Amino acid sequence: MAPEHRQSVRPPLLLRQQPAVDHACAAADRAHRSGDSAVIAGALRPLLAALGILAAASASATGPLPLIDIELVADGSTVFAGEGGVFTEFPFAPSMDGDAIVFVGRRADGRIGIHRSVRGRMSTVVNSSTAIPAGEGRFTGFGGAPVAVGGVTAFSGLGADGQQGIYLAEGGQVRRIADLTTVMPGSDLRFAYLKRPAFDGQQLVFMGRASDKGRADAESPYQGSYRYDLRSQRLDAVASWLQSVPGGDQRFGRMDDTSTAGGRSLITAYSADGRPGIWSGEGEQLVALLDTGSAVPGRAGETFLGFNDAAFERSFETGNFAFRLTVDGKAQSGVYARVNGQLQKVIDVNAEFSGGAENFSGFRAPAMHGDRVFFIGESPSGRQAIYAWRKGKRFPVISRDIELGGRKPKAFKLNQEAAGPEGVAFHVTFEDGATAIYYARLREKPGRVVLFDALHGRSRGQVQGGQFVEGGGWTVLNDHDRIVWKLPPMPPNGMLEVDVRNFDPRSQLTADKNIFLGLWGTLFQNHERMGLPDTDNWEFRVGTAHPQFKVEYHARGFGKAAEWVPFDGPFDPSHTYRIRVEWQDGRVRTSVDERVLYFEGFTHEAVDRFNYLHLGTSSHFAGKATRGPVYSNVRLIAFDD
C-alpha cells in the first residue's frame, strides 16, 4: 500500500492552516471569475481540503473522501455538569449504540457512573449510588468500558472488598450475570477474574479465570470464554481449558479477548502449548477461522505469528471482523480485517505515518462497523492518530496536530465497540492532563458547493456597509451593516459554515439582541412567526438578553428556539471559531467549533425554502450591530441524494 499523504487531516471545525486557505481562496476566486466549470471544479477541491471539508487521504486513495465533523460529547466544563458536579475524569474509551454514546465518567463529588448521551441529551445508566445486585453495598467503579445495544447496557462492575461482576442494565433495573461467587460452567471452580463483556443484544460474552495458587492472572491454567443467552438466561462456556482446540490434541490455554455478533462468538486465544488462533462459536459448534498456518495478506510465503483483539463489526449484519497483530521486530505487525469472507491488510508497520518522516511503529485494538475499520496508529517518536479504512483507502480522522477546543491532544483511546454507522467515538487526553469524550462523524458524500465566498477584499453577495480587512474577512462598522446573498434552491440536506475571528460577543454588544447570521425564506420576514408555512428560517443571535447565544429554527410555520450556553469560560478573540448549521430530513444541528445544539421533529420537503443568507445585522431590533467580529469563508453545501 502506498504511503500516507503528508498532509494531516483538518476537520471542518478546526481551521488552523490560514496560509494554505488564503492560497486556495485566491485560486478559487480566480476560477470563479474565469467562468470555466472545469477550472472551478479543479480549484474547489484544494480549497475544501485546506478548509478541512475534505479529509487528507493516502496517496493510493481515489474518489471523494468523507467530510469529518468532530463533536464534543462530554468534558470537565460546567456545560456538562450534573448531579455530583462537573466531570473530573473519563477513565475509559466510549462505546457506540446507534446514535448514543456510552461512557464512564467521574463527577466532582467522587461519584462514578455510566452515562449515555444521545444528540446532546445525557442520562445516567448506573453509578456509585446504585446497589450491587446479589452483592453488598453499592458500585465503587467499573472494570472497563461499558457496551450497549438497543438501550441495554452490559458492563463490568466493581464493589468494596474485591467484589467484581458482569451485569446488564435496562430501564433503570440492573441484574447480575456472573460474579466471583458464580461457578464456572463445566467445572467446580468459581470465577476469580472477569474481563469486561461484549454484547450484541442477543447474548453477552466475556472472558473469565479461576485462581491458581492464589493468582488469577494471565498465567492461570483455568481460563475460558463464556456466553450468556438473554432468551434462555443460560450461562455456558464457548471455549475453556476443559475443551480441546478443534482439529487438534491440545486443550485451550490463555484467552486474549472475545466478541459477539448475531448470536455468534469470536475468540482470540491460545492452545495450551502456546499456539495462537481466532475461533468462532455458534451454539455447540466451534470452528477455527485463522491460525499460524494462515497466510498473511500481501506477504508472500508468510503465515501469521499471532493474533490480538479480534472483534466483530458492530452492525451485526455481516461476519466481518478485524484484529491486530503485534510481534516485536516483525514486518507483519499491523491491523487486518476479514471483509465479505476475504482477509485483507488494513495497515502494517511498513506504511508511512501521516505527515511523513517515519513509519508506523504500532497499533491499538481496532473497531469496526460494516466494512469500515478504525484504529489508532503510533510512530516511534510518539505521534499518534486515529485512522479510518474502507475498501483499501485509509485516512487520518484526528491526530495530535489538531487542537480540540483550543487544547492540544496528547493521546487517544478507542475500544472495540467505538464504531457506529456514521463515525467513531473516542477518548482524548490533553497535554494538560484533562480528558474528554468526542465523536467523529464521517459523511461519504463530500457534497456540492452551492456558495463559497472567502470575503477576501470582495463578496459575491450584496454588501451594505462594513469593511473588508487586511488578511481577509469582513467586519461590521455601523448599525445596519450587512451582506446578503440570494441562494439557489436547496435540498432537504444542506450545511452552512462561517468562520469568525476576533469574536468575543459579551464585550462587543451594543444592543440586547442582534441576529448576526441567518438563513431566510423571505428575507427578514418570518422571524418568530408560526403562521407562514411557505417559508423557513434559521437565526443565530447574540445580545445582552442572552447568556451566550439564542438559536431559532422555523420550518413550514413551526419553530423551535433555545438559549444556548456552549462555552464554560470566556471567548478567545485570537481563536477562529467555526459556526455551522446543518439540516437533514427534519433534524437540525447548530454548532460552534465542536459544541453542538440539536433540534428535531421538523417536517421537510424535497426543497427547503432557504432563499437568502445574511451576515452582520438583520432588520430586527433596530438593526443594532455587534462590532468587532471578522467573518470569512462563507460556505453553503448541498448534500444531494
Side-chain angles (χ1 to χ4, degrees), residues 52-72:
I53 293 178
L54 298 180
S58 63
S60 61
T62 59
L65 292 169
L67 176 152
I68 303 175
D69 181 11
I70 307 291
E71 176 179 337
L72 175 63

Side-chain angles (χ1 to χ4, degrees), residues 139-196:
F139 289 109
T140 59
F142 302 95
V147 56
V149 177
V152 182
T153 305
F155 64 95
S156 168
L158 308 177
D161 300 321
Q163 293 180 86
Q164 182 184 11
I166 303 295
Y167 304 90
L168 276 177
E170 180 179 13
Q173 301 297 312
V174 181
R175 59 174 161 146
R176 177 189 64 174
I177 303 302
D179 62 18
L180 303 189
T181 69
T182 304
V183 175
M184 303 171 79
S187 80
D188 58 359
L189 299 176
R190 298 185 186 277
F191 288 110
Y193 169 83
L194 298 163
K195 191 171 183 179
R196 79 172 190 94

Side-chain angles (χ1 to χ4, degrees), residues 40 61 105 110 119 144 275 306 311 327 341 420 498 532 578 612:
I40 293 171
R119 294 186 293 279
R275 288 177 294 167
V327 182
V498 179
L532 295 173
R578 182 158 295 177
Y612 297 91

Side-chain angles (χ1 to χ4, degrees), residues 36 50-51 87 99-101 133 154 227 275 303 308 336 404 429 462 477 601 610:
D36 188 319
L51 289 169
F87 286 115
D99 288 341
I101 297 170
R227 165 181 54 209
R275 288 177 294 167
T303 58
N308 306 97
Y336 299 84
L404 294 170
T429 300
Q462 181 183 5
L477 295 180
F610 289 139

Side-chain angles (χ1 to χ4, degrees), residues 4 15 36 50 70 79-80 110 137 148 184 222 266 268 331 342 351 371 379 396 400 494 517 530 603 607:
E4 294 289 314
L15 180 61
D36 188 319
I70 307 291
V79 175
F80 301 101
M184 303 171 79
Y222 310 117
L266 190 70
T268 313
Q342 182 181 0
D371 59 356
S379 76
R400 291 177 57 184
L517 180 62
M530 300 298 181
T603 58
V607 177

Side-chain angles (χ1 to χ4, degrees), residues 41-316:
L44 281 176
R45 186 174 179 88
L47 172 60
L48 294 177
L51 289 169
I53 293 178
L54 298 180
S58 63
S60 61
T62 59
L65 292 169
L67 176 152
I68 303 175
D69 181 11
I70 307 291
E71 176 179 337
L72 175 63
V73 177
D75 70 359
S77 67
T78 58
V79 175
F80 301 101
E83 186 178 357
V86 298
F87 286 115
T88 59
E89 179 191 15
F90 303 98
F92 309 113
S95 301
M96 293 290 300
D97 176 18
D99 288 341
I101 297 170
V102 184
F103 62 93
V104 174
R106 186 183 299 277
R107 297 285 190 180
D109 66 352
R111 193 177 314 180
I112 189 168
I114 296 173
H115 304 275
R116 182 180 177 91
S117 178
V118 183
R119 294 186 293 279
R121 300 187 301 273
M122 193 174 297
S123 60
T124 299
V125 177
V126 60
N127 64 16
S128 47
S129 297
T130 306
I132 301 174
E136 296 183 3
R138 304 180 186 279
F139 289 109
T140 59
F142 302 95
V147 56
V149 177
V152 182
T153 305
F155 64 95
S156 168
L158 308 177
D161 300 321
Q163 293 180 86
Q164 182 184 11
I166 303 295
Y167 304 90
L168 276 177
E170 180 179 13
Q173 301 297 312
V174 181
R175 59 174 161 146
R176 177 189 64 174
I177 303 302
D179 62 18
L180 303 189
T181 69
T182 304
V183 175
M184 303 171 79
S187 80
D188 58 359
L189 299 176
R190 298 185 186 277
F191 288 110
Y193 169 83
L194 298 163
K195 191 171 183 179
R196 79 172 190 94
F199 182 49
D200 67 358
Q202 300 179 42
Q203 68 177 21
L204 180 153
V205 297
F206 61 93
M207 187 270 286
R209 306 182 193 123
S211 177
D212 177 43
K213 299 177 182 178
R215 297 176 58 186
D217 59 18
E219 301 307 314
S220 169
Y222 310 117
Q223 303 193 30
S225 173
Y226 298 91
R227 165 181 54 209
Y228 178 81
D229 184 87
L230 270 65
R231 290 163 295 188
S232 68
Q233 298 187 24
R234 177 185 172 188
L235 180 66
D236 60 11
V238 181
S240 77
W241 82 97
L242 298 170
Q243 296 169 248
S244 295
V245 174
D249 56 1
Q250 291 286 319
R251 294 192 177 189
F252 279 101
R254 179 163 64 89
M255 296 284 165
D256 179 69
D257 215 338
T258 186
S259 177
T260 183
R264 291 168 294 173
S265 301
L266 190 70
I267 306 162
T268 313
Y270 294 79
S271 62
D273 61 355
R275 288 177 294 167
I278 298 176
W279 289 268
S280 177
E282 185 170 6
E284 301 297 325
Q285 187 178 12
L286 189 65
V287 297
L289 299 180
L290 294 169
D291 57 27
T292 52
S294 302
V296 179
R299 302 196 66 80
E302 287 192 28
T303 58
F304 281 105
L305 297 173
F307 308 94
N308 306 97
D309 306 313
F312 279 125
E313 61 90 8
R314 295 294 293 169
S315 77
F316 310 128

Side-chain angles (χ1 to χ4, degrees), residues 365-390:
M368 190 175 188
H369 191 282
D371 59 356
R372 174 176 282 139
V373 178
F374 296 94
F375 64 92
I376 294 177
E378 300 170 325
S379 76
S381 64
R383 297 163 65 206
Q384 196 181 71
I386 297 175
Y387 288 78
W389 174 95
R390 183 172 182 261

